[in-house]
Structure formats: structure tokens, C-alpha cells
Amino acid sequence: MLRRHDRNHEGVALTANDLTQRRGRAATIADVAKLAGVATSTVSRALSNPARVNHVTRQRIEEAVGQLGYVPSAQARSLTSGRTGVVGVLVPDIANPFYFDLIRGAQRQLRAAGYAQLLLDTEESHEIESSMVELMLKNADGVVLAASRLDDETLTAAAARQPLVTINRDVPDVPTVILDTPEGMRQTVVHLRSLGHTRAVFVAGPSGSWSSARRWEALLAAGEELGVEMTMIGPWAPTAAAGSAAADAVIASSATAAVVFNDLLAIGMLGRLQERGVRVPLDLSVVGCDDIFGASFCNPPLTTVSAPIEEAGRVAVTMLLSQLGSAGGSRSRTVLPTYLTTRESSGPAPT
Amino acid sequence: MLRRHDRNHEGVALTANDLTQRRGRAATIADVAKLAGVATSTVSRALSNPARVNHVTRQRIEEAVGQLGYVPSAQARSLTSGRTGVVGVLVPDIANPFYFDLIRGAQRQLRAAGYAQLLLDTEESHEIESSMVELMLKNADGVVLAASRLDDETLTAAAARQPLVTINRDVPDVPTVILDTPEGMRQTVVHLRSLGHTRAVFVAGPSGSWSSARRWEALLAAGEELGVEMTMIGPWAPTAAAGSAAADAVIASSATAAVVFNDLLAIGMLGRLQERGVRVPLDLSVVGCDDIFGASFCNPPLTTVSAPIEEAGRVAVTMLLSQLGSAGGSRSRTVLPTYLTTRESSGPAPT
DNA sequence: CAAAGAGCGGCAAGCGATTGCATAAATCGT
DNA sequence: ACGATTTATGCAATCGCTTGCCGCTCTTTG
């Protein structure tokens, strides 16, 4: 009894003190323990495993937590638990709308699972990406790599050391979610052919891009099969600004249709084409890829290969989390379908 | 001599062992120390304060680091140092293009200073935002709050406890960067008046939005001064989807011009207006706000109030970092200018 | 040549939490 | 009524790293 009384007494004293915001640092678990008159271990348990602690004690602790505005330090916690509660999401360029939806999808899923998203921009750089992946090894529970620039071995090695999922990058032994743009590309060629086009040009993305290479392959194959002569120009950076240069190059070619690496580039081209007096789709058909924000309301609205980007982000995270939970052994390759969305930037080939 | 030899010997043995990736967990500072034959403290210093360690020793340590692929744990490091190297950036909706540039600006500046960006989506929710701010208190070195939904007291209290900068939210004692949209709004009214408009409607944003309220105030004042009758409709969510409903409401009004809370909403309206056969700008002028990605190439290109959003992100981070460095006492309120960018969605009032 | 530095490196005490083990009290079984 | 459980809590080690303080070895210096 006496002891209990003492505790309360002490508690009251502390309360007054602490409610003035304890000049200095934030409350620690020790402060809570002292206020509640228990050991830190009890506080810890009350918070993470309530069943292990007596009803009354827990209540006292909760009250103390409230009074002090105590928030456990994720840092300290992760030190012992080994888990950080953070997942790194690496994208080549946050400003690219393509990644917006991806980021959002990932964020949604992550939030739902109680994880925080550490968003990192690799600035399209191999080196930055590499060092960031290295960093995440110790400082995140897992990594989602969108459109990685790393080579196969590095990727495989990284995946062996930590939970990792790539998006749009297919390497053996590395879990991945793929947007099946080749199928979309095939549909594109079918579409163009049916409109009478026989000479088309592929406006390529960055030279290191896995996606760009895949798209070109698919285009080439479909073109051969369907009788559309495909040529490639590029590479270009996947930005609207690069679109101007690309537009000029397309005009210089003799193609009647341009299949563009992605919508950003395509939208950039649209502006320049208008400047140069090229009417889309009358003089030239333009098909983009990704169906990003903006593709539906640009002028003219862009025919493009639609991809379930947000879903890709969600799925990637889900795969990652399943890796985290059960040690390995879940599906490790997901292919998401894409399809052509025809809008007004494609039309009959000029005669 | 003998001791030194022993160390080397031990080192060699370890090397062979460790190069096989030490089945199990990643290398710690202790592993490096052992391999290099020094104490952990020396390794720590070699890494964070090279001058404090002998040239030769340092080299040996660096070699060990390389062999083991050692990466310091940010968690453990932040435990002692108190700094996490992370800055939380809270935005209401990552999928809103307005925030893209802001995020990018913040990211750039953060990277340059060696910080990581923890991007959090508050989903336009007061509660989520509040709990996230609380979380950041312990788990980040500072917070950037974009378009906060929190009330003044909460914000003031939070700012008193941790480095914090708001964007587009002006509260006494809270460092902030403001996009001076009222000035842009004034310019908008001048522009519309000069085109002959005398009845305009303001399409309001979310009800809790500080920015929306400021814009309306400015519009009202300028309207009164310049002889433009302003009315307000709304509120609407700041999304393209909400634009349809807003468009219908605008059509129902008798206004000849609509000033829209932001571009997302405005772009959404454009589509619906076209559907309803309302020609922009012939029948109705539309002015947006923010000049986001898409505003320049939608149909018609949007007249809008341009704001240096990316710069706002950069400035916010800079202010935050200066708070972190020198304990307080730097400029705490930055106003960034905005101006009207006229494109094709505004024109003479219908007669 | 002894005293005083300067340069280097080690020891050990934390940082804030988690957790296996131990202990004490309460409950149970027979 | 007493040993066996069960329940509730405390103790202390530990996670990986930083840092103040101490001590040893050489140089300088008067």
C-alpha cells in the first residue's frame, strides 16, 4: 500500500513537471514508466502486447502515455526488432507522372500494412540508384525498384540480400511485376495497320531502358508479321522537353505513324508538331504509352497503351510484404495486362 | 610487433570467412573493426571524422568496409546522434500534380543536403495528418507540411516541438512559405474585366482549405474594386472528377467567366463543358490556378495563375534546414510571387 | 634531457526500446 | 493446507553506433 502511494505521489509530481513539456527532449519510455510507476519493460509490453499486462496497470500506463504525449522512437525500436517499418521506393524521376500513380498505389498498400514509404529519386542515374539500394539494405525492410537501371547481376545480388521487387524489369530470381506493354504494342501495330499505315517509326526512350528495348522488339516482330515497316529513332530522355527534338526527327522520317516510348515524350511531340504545321492525326498518327495523367485531355487526346500503373504499385508492395512475412516462397512474377486505348491522335494514313 | 602480427593473422582468417557473405545478417561496425584489427570507435571515427584517424589505419578500415560491404545502420546511428537524416513531407494527395513539383523541389534540396525524404499522403484527412505529424516528432528531423488541414493551435504547438515548415498556410509563429495567389487572383480579375466580363463565379476548393478562403477573399475585394460581380459556388474536392459537377453548376449560374480553385478542377470542368456544348472561351472563360503539369497542353490550354511550386518546395526545405542548423532564428515567412499566365481558355465576354 | 604537446586509438557509457529469464503473488488442485 | 501453476512484473542484456575521456607514443621545445 505504502509503496503504491509513494508511486502515485511521485507520479503527481512528475505530471506537473511534464505537462510543461519537459523543456528539452521528448518523452521516452522511461518517463512513461516512471510516471506510471512501473518498469520500462511493462510499458513496452503494455504497448505492443497488451494481453501480457494487467488491465489496471495498462490503464495507468495509457494515461501516462497520454499525458506525456509519448511516441515510441521507431529508431530505437528497429534496433532491437531488426525491422524498420520502412520500405524504400526508388523511381528514376518523381516528376514523371507515370510514377505518380505507381507511387500512390504503393503508398496505399504500404499504409494499409502499417509501413512508411521512403521515396527516393534516382535521377535516372545508375550510380545513385546503386548507392541507394545499398543504403536501403540496412535501413529499410524492403525495396521496390521501378524501372531499374541496374544490370542483371547487381539486381540478382541485391535481391538475394534483401526483400526486393522490381517493376518493369525482368531478371531471373528477382520478384517482379511487369506491365505487359509488348501486347499493347502488338495491338498498336494492328490498329495502325488497319488504318492503312505501312511505315511507322518507334521513338525510343533512354538507351538503358529495359522497357524501351522490349517495346521495340515487340513492335518489330508485330510489324514484320503484319506488314508494317518499323524503324527506330532515338534514344531520347523520357521528358516532354525532349519531345520537340523527337518531333523534328519524326518529321524528317518518312513514316506516317509514330509510336512513342511514353506519353510524356508524345505530349511533348504534339506541341512541336503543331508548331511545325503537322496535323495530328491527319498528317501523322501518334501513339503513346502508359496513359498517364494528361493523355486523355491533351490536344488531340492521345491514343496510347494503357497500363494499370497504380495496380502495379499495389501488387509490387503486396509481393514485397509477402516476402517479408513468410520467409520467401510466394509468387515472384506478375504480369499485368495492357491494352490500346484509342483516342484522337491516331487516324487513317494520309494518302 | 607480435600483437600487430596477430591482428593481421586474425584479419586474414576473417576475410575468407566474411567474403562468403557471412551467412546471416549484414556486417556491423564490430565486424569491420575486427577485420581491420581496431576498435569499433576507431572505425566509427574513420567513417565520420576521418581527420581524427591515422592515414594508414583509415585505409585499412576502408578496405575492410569494402570487403564486407558494410553500410552503417541509420537506425543505430540516429539513436545516439539524435538526428535521423529524414525529413517528413506531408501532402494531402500525392496524386495531385500540384504536389509533384513541390515534392520534387523538396527532394532536390533534401538530397543536396544529404537528407532522405519520407513522403506521406494524408489523404486529405485531418486525423491522418495529425497522427503523422505526431509520428514525425520522434522519427524525423523535421517536417514540411503542404496545405495543412490542421487548426492553428495544433499547428503552433507542433511547430514549437519540432522543426516544421508549412506551405500555403499562414499561422503566427510557424515558419511558412506562401504562394501569393491573392495577387494572381487580382491580376485575374483585371484580366477578365479588361475582356469585358462583369459577372464571374469562383469555383471553390475543399471547405477546410486555407488557400481557397484566401483566394475568395482576394477575388471578392478585387471584384468590388473593379466592378466585377463575384459569386462563389462549391465547395468541391480538388480533383478532375469533381470538375464535371462543378461545370454543371457553373453553367447553371449566369456568369460569363469562372475562376477555378485549381487547375485539376478546371481541367475536369473543361471536359464536361465540351460535352455540354459550351465553347471555351467563346461562351465561357475559364481561369485555373497553379499552372500544373497539363495546364499548358489541355484543350484549350488553360489561362491560369502560375506559381513557382517547385521553388516553394525548395525554399521550404531550405528554411527547415536552417532551423535544424542554427537553433532557430532565421527568416520564417517567405512569400513567393504568382502571376497570371494567359492562354486560350479566357477570352472576351460573350455579348 | 625532462616537460609539454600532438596525434592516435581504446574503453566504456550511453541512446531508447525489446525480450528471455527470474521472481513474487495469486489461483488451483486434491 | 501445501506444492504446482498461472499471471503480472521487474531485471538486465542486447541491438549497432557515437563520443567523452584516458593513456600511450612520439615530437617539440626550453
Side-chain angles (χ1 to χ4, degrees), chain B residues 170-193:
Chain B
D170 201 4
V171 174
D173 299 325
V174 179
T176 184
V177 13
I178 303 276
L179 292 168
D180 185 25
T181 43
E183 171 55 23
M185 288 294 142
R186 213 197 118 74
Q187 291 182 21
T188 301
V189 176
V190 171
H191 172 66
L192 291 175
R193 186 69 190 81

Side-chain angles (χ1 to χ4, degrees), chain B residues 107-336:
Chain B
Q107 162 98 5
R108 275 214 203 308
Q109 207 68 7
L110 246 15
R111 257 194 67 69
Y115 281 83
Q117 180 188 59
L118 195 53
L119 182 65
L120 298 167
D121 186 339
T122 62
E123 298 174 21
E124 316 258 2
S125 147
H126 178 284
E127 287 74 30
I128 296 185
E129 179 176 353
S130 169
S131 76
M132 282 180 165
V133 168
E134 201 63 26
L135 237 171
M136 289 302 99
L137 173 58
K138 291 290 277 292
N139 300 309
D141 293 347
V143 183
V144 173
L145 240 48
S148 176
R149 292 277 198 282
L150 302 180
D151 56 72
D152 290 16
E153 296 100 61
T154 312
L155 231 32
T156 311
R161 295 196 299 168
Q162 72 187 314
L164 182 155
V165 173
T166 58
I167 294 179
N168 267 2
R169 183 61 196 276
D170 201 4
V171 174
D173 299 325
V174 179
T176 184
V177 13
I178 303 276
L179 292 168
D180 185 25
T181 43
E183 171 55 23
M185 288 294 142
R186 213 197 118 74
Q187 291 182 21
T188 301
V189 176
V190 171
H191 172 66
L192 291 175
R193 186 69 190 81
S194 75
L195 288 169
H197 295 271
T198 53
R199 285 199 319 279
V201 59
F202 175 60
V203 178
S207 54
S209 166
W210 185 83
S211 299
S212 186
R214 288 302 83 61
R215 287 173 197 174
W216 170 238
E217 280 173 12
L219 240 25
L220 207 55
E224 198 151 322
E225 178 189 340
L226 298 165
V228 177
E229 182 188 327
M230 295 287 322
T231 57
M232 174 164 88
I233 59 176
W236 274 284
T239 64
S244 289
D248 289 335
V250 169
I251 293 174
S253 80
S254 58
T256 60
V259 180
V260 188
F261 171 63
N262 75 8
D263 288 349
L264 213 47
L265 207 47
I267 289 173
M269 285 178 56
L270 252 26
R272 176 65 175 164
L273 289 172
Q274 198 161 35
E275 271 177 39
R276 298 268 316 250
V278 176
R279 294 161 304 171
V280 175
L282 263 45
D283 304 324
L284 179 74
S285 288
V286 174
V287 178
C289 188
D290 294 343
D291 199 9
I292 62 170
F293 173 85
S296 66
F297 61 76
C298 59
N299 187 14
L302 200 59
T303 292
T304 188
V305 175
S306 296
I309 312 174
E310 184 176 334
E311 187 180 351
R314 281 205 312 273
V315 171
V317 166
T318 304
M319 288 171 61
L320 188 70
L321 295 183
S322 87
Q323 266 188 72
L324 290 181
S326 54
S330 40
R331 187 183 41 174
S332 65
R333 188 164 185 283
T334 306
V335 176
L336 262 23

Side-chain angles (χ1 to χ4, degrees), chain A residues 27 71 74-75 78-79 95 97 100 104 107 111 117-119 121 123 132 138-139 264 293 297-299, chain B residues 27 71 73-75 78-79 95 97 100 104 107 111 117-119 121 123 132 138-139 264 293 297-299:
Chain A
V71 181
Q75 266 62 45
S78 68
L79 199 50
F100 293 159
R104 172 160 60 168
Q107 162 99 4
R111 256 194 67 68
Q117 180 188 59
L118 195 53
L119 183 65
D121 186 338
E123 299 175 21
M132 282 179 166
K138 291 289 277 293
N139 300 309
L264 213 46
F293 173 84
F297 60 76
C298 59
N299 187 17
Chain B
V71 181
S73 150
Q75 267 61 46
S78 69
L79 238 200
F100 292 161
R104 172 159 60 169
Q107 162 98 5
R111 257 194 67 69
Q117 180 188 59
L118 195 53
L119 182 65
D121 186 339
E123 298 174 21
M132 282 180 165
K138 291 290 277 292
N139 300 309
L264 213 47
F293 173 85
F297 61 76
C298 59
N299 187 14

